[in-house]
Amino acid sequence: MKRKLLLAGMVAIVVTFMSCLPGGGGKKYDTSKPVQMIEAIGNDVAAESDNWDKEQWDAMADNLETAIRNLPKDMGEDDAAIVSSALQRMGVYAERHKRTASELLGVIAGYKGDNAPQPAQAQPQPAPVAAPKAAPAPKTAPSGLLLGSVIREGGYTNVRQQPSTSSAIVTKIKDGSPIYYKPYNRSWCEIYNQNGGFMGYMHASKVVANAVQAAPAPSGRVATGTRYDWLAARYVTASDLAGMSSGELRILRNAIYARHYRRFKDANLRAYFNNEVWYDGIRDEIPARELNKYEKYNIEFIKRYE
């Protein structure tokens, strides 16, 4: 009897071990949940891949290939949107490291071919809510709210019940749609409908402050259409910084440099801004002559509060 129990325990341990695969950064993924696995891989690529070597990128490609292979032939719209968004996000970062990330790019390209699973059609899903409607886009937001838009990634972005990726999805908003929002913290924004009614929370990396330019791409020497543009348009006041932690203040100050595409040596800053769709760290130093009077003032002002 004891031998049987011991054998059963050993089998359970082996099954548990085999159900997880190590990621490029040493993390493990649950292969029994391929959609969530792809979403987790996308998050890790965005946050950690800046210094990966080819071996780490290849390991991540193997993980992604395993997850794609385990996807059901017919996926619901929610799962298909999650997979599409994660793959597109991965592609952005992999393109920055084409030489070392070539295998991952190949896996992504293969998925986007004719063999990619299609959303199931058996049970019609309600249309995602776009708030406010894309045409015509409102020119002003209700009192206390900001007018922005969801980044253009070619799919839908989740609005969650609580500010957490593990929280329930309330609805999905089509990428590129204008939205009303206000910051909740440095990672999440509160999302509101066209009548000013609270809907839920969206990750701040998905929210763009400028509704006209929903997916700002690096052009010239300064990124525009970001939620940090105001730092170059007016002086920061004490009320702007009220309640912010030293870490949040540090992010805010360095956002001025990030808009000029500074390459950060600090791992935390690098990971944070790599999650911004507009950011591309391609410059080692930003000459003072490229900063306007507001940016120069705001850097020093924020420093005093840090």
Side-chain angles (χ1 to χ4, degrees):
M1 186 63 166
K2 289 183 179 180
R3 287 185 178 179
K4 290 182 178 180
L5 290 174
L6 180 60
L7 180 61
M10 292 177 65
V11 169
I13 292 172
V14 171
V15 170
T16 302
F17 176 79
M18 292 300 291
S19 69
C20 297
L21 288 177
K27 295 186 177 180
K28 296 186 182 299
Y29 301 104
D30 186 353
T31 59
S32 66
K33 299 177 179 179
V35 173
Q36 290 82 353
M37 180 178 173
I38 291 174
E39 186 176 30
I41 290 173
N43 291 337
D44 288 343
V45 167
E48 303 173 5
S49 64
D50 198 49
N51 293 316
W52 283 356
D53 56 23
K54 190 175 188 305
E55 183 178 351
Q56 290 171 300
W57 277 107
D58 288 350
M60 194 60 79
D62 291 341
N63 291 333
L64 180 60
E65 190 171 24
T66 297
I68 290 174
R69 188 166 57 246
N70 291 338
L71 284 172
K73 292 182 179 179
D74 294 322
M75 288 192 294
E77 286 188 3
D78 283 358
D79 286 346
I82 290 172
V83 171
S84 176
S85 177
L87 290 176
Q88 184 141 1
R89 193 180 187 201
M90 270 184 256
V92 171
Y93 291 93
E95 282 291 338
R96 296 180 184 174
H97 307 274
K98 287 184 179 179
R99 292 182 180 178
T100 52
S102 58
E103 187 171 334
L104 181 67
L105 287 170
V107 174
I108 294 173
Y111 174 84
K112 292 180 178 178
D114 295 335
N115 294 326
Q118 300 298 315
Q121 301 297 325
Q123 296 181 346
Q125 300 290 325
V129 177
K133 293 183 179 179
K139 295 181 180 180
T140 59
S143 177
L145 301 181
L146 301 171
L147 174 61
S149 59
V150 185
I151 61 172
R152 294 189 187 277
E153 286 190 331
Y156 297 91
T157 296
N158 298 330
V159 177
R160 296 186 180 271
Q161 192 173 46
Q162 299 294 331
S164 168
T165 54
S166 61
S167 179
I169 298 172
V170 176
T171 187
K172 292 176 178 286
I173 298 180
K174 185 175 177 61
D175 291 349
S177 298
I179 54 173
Y180 292 136
Y181 76 99
K182 66 179 180 181
Y184 175 75
N185 56 29
R186 75 176 188 178
S187 299
W188 292 89
C189 291
E190 296 178 2
I191 305 300
Y192 295 80
N193 62 26
Q194 59 185 343
N195 298 319
F198 177 71
M199 297 173 65
Y201 298 87
M202 182 179 290
H203 199 274
S205 65
K206 306 293 185 179
V207 178
V208 179
N210 185 343
V212 177
Q213 187 177 3
S219 60
R221 303 181 76 83
V222 183
T224 58
T226 80
R227 64 179 180 277
Y228 299 111
D229 285 9
W230 67 277
L231 291 167
R234 69 170 175 85
Y235 295 117
V236 171
T237 66
S239 61
D240 292 323
L241 309 182
M244 296 183 71
S245 67
S246 60
E248 290 170 331
L249 290 167
R250 185 166 181 250
I251 289 291
L252 189 66
R253 175 171 59 84
N254 281 281
I256 296 173
Y257 295 112
R259 290 184 63 246
H260 290 264
Y261 308 127
R262 181 176 182 177
R263 182 185 294 112
F264 294 102
K265 295 179 181 179
D266 182 87
N268 292 329
L269 290 174
R270 189 167 61 244
Y272 180 87
F273 287 110
N274 276 343
N275 280 321
E276 299 287 352
V277 68
W278 48 266
Y279 174 72
D280 194 2
I282 57 176
R283 306 178 65 193
D284 290 323
E285 294 296 335
I286 310 302
R289 65 178 179 274
E290 293 186 20
L291 303 176
N292 68 24
K293 63 179 183 179
Y294 299 113
E295 291 173 310
K296 291 176 182 177
Y297 175 90
N298 291 339
I299 288 170
E300 296 305 317
F301 187 86
I302 298 170
K303 269 185 181 179
R304 295 203 297 269
Y305 281 79
E306 285 185 61

